[in-house]
Amino acid sequence: MTAETSRQQQNNDEGQGFQIFMTMENLIDKLKLLDYEEEFIKVLKMRPLNRHYFALQSNTGEQFFMFAALSAWLIRKCGISFKQPEEDDDPNSTIASILDALRNLGIPVDFSPNKLKKGSGVYALQCLNSLVEKAFTVKNITFKKPVPPVEQFDSTQTFDEDEDLELDIDRIEEDMALGVSDVDEDNELDVDDLYLASAFMETTRAEEIIETDVTAEAWNLELEKVVPMLKVSIKSNNTDWRSHLELMKHHQSEIHQISGTVSSELKKFGYEIEETMRKVSKREKLLNSQFEQLLSQYRTLQEELSLVNDKYREVNVGVVERQKILNQISENLESTKQEMEERGATMSDGSPLVHIKKAIKDIKKEICEMDISIAVAEHSIVETKLREKSLQTHLVRTSGMN
């Protein structure tokens, strides 16, 4: 790998490292468009996110909970019901639920779920950005290109230049360079004011002709006295292309002045880096040649370790299955022992026999009472029959006598 390609790779790595901060700042701006400060921060009573919250890893537990809570809020924004996670929830189940919701929304997930456990980094920002974009689609939020304001110039303000009132700016600048820079600000004269004064005098001249008795020599003497006291301040206009052009020329001249020394220093650094890279490559080759035997032994030992681990996994699977069978047999044995103890307790207990004897005694008593009742009933029946028979015989006798 040459020095140029190595420098290009280094620049790419630095650009990728800076890109995560830009992504986080864009995410904050997008969340503000979704009004997350009112609907998320104040409702859950959390601290607002800073500009680099998910870009840097600081507190893994706090960042993961914030990532899960924010993802749940965005998923609900996309129209899918999602339970608000708690701090004591299982991280694996929370991540699985979030990834399932992403797949249901049609967002591709091409990374391992373990990448989201730390709650920060590229993959966390990728999930949040995808959810925000989906929420924008659901809420019909679109972006347009910025339209710069159109500068409007007042074309009505036109000033006529008068040769008699023209001011020699070069002469004034020379006088100012000689030490007339500390004049009172009340005596400052703006170029725009000069133009306005000239326009005003033009209009007044058109109305009437001013006649004066002052000679030209007196005007020149007065002008020579007043000129050192005049200070022309030219207002800088940031929108003027002339000022931009002058600034660009100034920067270009500075760049040309610096480029010579900088290019020589950069070439020097490039040569030093190339020399260092050559030394590093030679050192790597030397180390590889010295430790080649040890590396081969390490590889063989690592292969043997992998074989032993495979055998251990196979044996462990059999042990686990046998352990399950043993637990099942132990449970059956315990249930059988409990049943035998219950039956033994019932067999040694004499209370059922006592209850049976008591029941037999009660039955005999009831039978005796029933026999007495039957005898009384039979006696009543016999007595009734005898009465009927005696009544019939009496009736027969009375009828025979008649």
Side-chain angles (χ1 to χ4, degrees):
M1 183 173 60
T2 62
E4 185 178 357
T5 56
S6 64
R7 285 196 297 270
Q8 186 177 2
Q9 183 66 28
Q10 185 178 2
N11 294 330
N12 293 333
D13 295 339
E14 291 177 355
Q16 291 177 359
F18 181 72
Q19 183 64 32
I20 190 172
F21 295 99
M22 295 295 296
T23 305
M24 181 61 204
E25 292 182 0
N26 292 332
L27 176 64
I28 293 293
D29 295 335
K30 292 176 182 178
L31 290 175
K32 288 181 180 179
L33 292 177
L34 291 175
D35 199 10
Y36 94 108
E37 294 177 346
E38 297 291 335
E39 298 181 6
F40 178 72
I41 297 297
K42 289 186 178 180
V43 172
L44 298 180
K45 297 179 180 180
M46 294 183 175
R47 292 182 298 176
L49 301 177
N50 56 42
R51 307 296 292 183
H52 303 146
Y53 187 80
F54 291 114
L56 298 174
Q57 183 177 2
S58 57
N59 188 350
T60 305
E62 179 184 351
Q63 286 178 318
F64 177 76
F65 176 66
M66 179 63 77
F67 165 74
L70 187 59
S71 299
W73 179 71
L74 290 173
I75 290 169
R76 290 195 295 272
K77 276 284 186 182
C78 295
I80 296 178
S81 61
F82 196 87
K83 181 182 177 182
Q84 185 66 31
E86 301 293 339
E87 292 186 2
D88 53 352
D89 289 346
D90 185 15
N92 295 322
S93 61
T94 303
I95 292 172
S97 302
I98 292 172
L99 294 180
D100 290 339
L102 289 173
R103 294 187 185 98
N104 292 332
L105 290 171
I107 299 172
V109 179
D110 54 357
F111 52 85
S112 174
N114 294 326
K115 301 290 185 180
L116 299 177
K117 280 190 176 180
K118 59 182 181 180
S120 61
V122 178
Y123 299 101
L125 286 173
Q126 181 181 347
C127 292
L128 294 175
N129 267 322
S130 301
L131 289 173
V132 168
E133 294 294 337
K134 196 68 178 179
F136 281 169
T137 305
V138 174
K139 299 292 184 181
N140 292 325
I141 299 175
T142 57
F143 297 96
K144 297 180 180 179
K145 293 183 178 180
V147 179
V150 180
E151 297 180 357
Q152 297 180 356
F153 296 97
D154 191 1
S155 61
T156 60
Q157 295 182 357
T158 59
F159 304 100
D160 296 331
E161 296 181 355
D162 191 0
E163 294 180 358
D164 296 335
L165 298 176
E166 188 175 2
L167 186 62
D168 192 355
I169 298 177
D170 295 334
R171 181 180 175 185
I172 294 172
E173 289 180 353
E174 291 176 358
D175 294 337
M176 291 171 61
L178 292 174
V180 198
S181 59
D182 54 351
V183 184
D184 190 8
E185 292 182 357
D186 295 334
N187 295 325
E188 288 185 359
L189 185 62
D190 197 354
V191 175
D192 295 336
D193 296 335
L194 291 175
Y195 288 145
L196 291 173
S198 64
F200 177 73
M201 293 186 70
E202 282 290 330
T203 55
T204 56
R205 182 181 296 173
E207 293 176 358
E208 62 178 348
I209 298 174
I210 301 174
E211 294 182 359
T212 180
D213 55 354
V214 181
T215 61
E217 290 80 5
W219 272 105
N220 290 329
L221 291 173
E222 189 67 25
L223 182 61
E224 290 177 358
K225 293 179 182 178
V226 174
V227 164
M229 299 176 63
L230 296 177
K231 181 181 178 182
V232 179
S233 61
I234 301 173
K235 293 182 179 179
S236 61
N237 190 2
N238 294 327
T239 60
D240 190 8
W241 63 271
R242 297 179 183 85
S243 61
H244 291 176
L245 181 60
E246 292 295 332
L247 187 61
M248 290 170 63
K249 289 180 178 178
H250 176 67
H251 290 326
Q252 186 178 8
S253 63
E254 289 183 351
I255 290 171
H256 284 307
Q257 292 175 2
I258 300 171
S259 61
T261 57
V262 172
S263 60
S264 62
E265 292 292 331
L266 290 175
K267 288 179 181 179
K268 183 180 178 181
F269 289 151
Y271 295 148
E272 291 178 356
I273 291 171
E274 289 179 358
E275 187 65 26
T276 306
M277 291 297 294
R278 291 193 195 95
K279 292 180 181 179
V280 170
S281 61
K282 290 179 181 179
R283 189 63 178 170
E284 286 179 353
K285 292 178 181 178
L286 179 61
L287 291 174
N288 289 330
S289 63
Q290 290 178 353
F291 293 99
E292 185 176 1
Q293 185 176 1
L294 294 176
L295 287 173
S296 61
Q297 292 178 1
Y298 174 74
R299 292 191 190 95
T300 54
L301 292 174
Q302 194 172 11
E303 292 176 356
E304 292 177 0
L305 178 62
S306 62
L307 293 174
V308 172
N309 287 330
D310 294 336
K311 290 181 180 178
Y312 171 74
R313 292 191 192 93
E314 293 176 358
V315 174
N316 193 19
V317 170
V319 171
V320 171
E321 292 178 355
R322 290 179 177 83
Q323 186 68 31
K324 290 180 180 179
I325 296 171
L326 178 61
N327 293 332
Q328 186 176 2
I329 293 172
S330 299
E331 291 177 359
N332 294 331
L333 181 61
E334 290 293 332
S335 61
T336 304
K337 286 182 179 180
Q338 186 176 0
E339 186 178 356
M340 289 178 64
E341 289 177 356
E342 291 177 357
R343 288 185 179 181
T346 54
M347 290 174 66
S348 61
D349 190 9
S351 58
L353 183 61
V354 173
H355 289 304
I356 291 171
K357 289 181 178 180
K358 185 177 179 181
I360 292 172
K361 187 176 180 180
D362 293 337
I363 291 170
K364 286 181 179 180
K365 185 178 179 181
E366 290 178 359
I367 290 171
C368 183
E369 290 177 356
M370 289 178 68
D371 290 338
I372 293 171
S373 299
I374 291 169
V376 171
E378 287 179 353
H379 178 72
S380 299
I381 292 169
V382 171
E383 186 178 2
T384 303
K385 286 182 178 180
L386 290 174
R387 285 178 183 177
E388 290 178 355
K389 190 175 180 180
S390 62
L391 182 61
Q392 289 178 359
T393 55
H394 180 70
L395 291 173
V396 170
R397 287 178 183 179
T398 56
S399 61
M401 291 176 66
N402 292 326

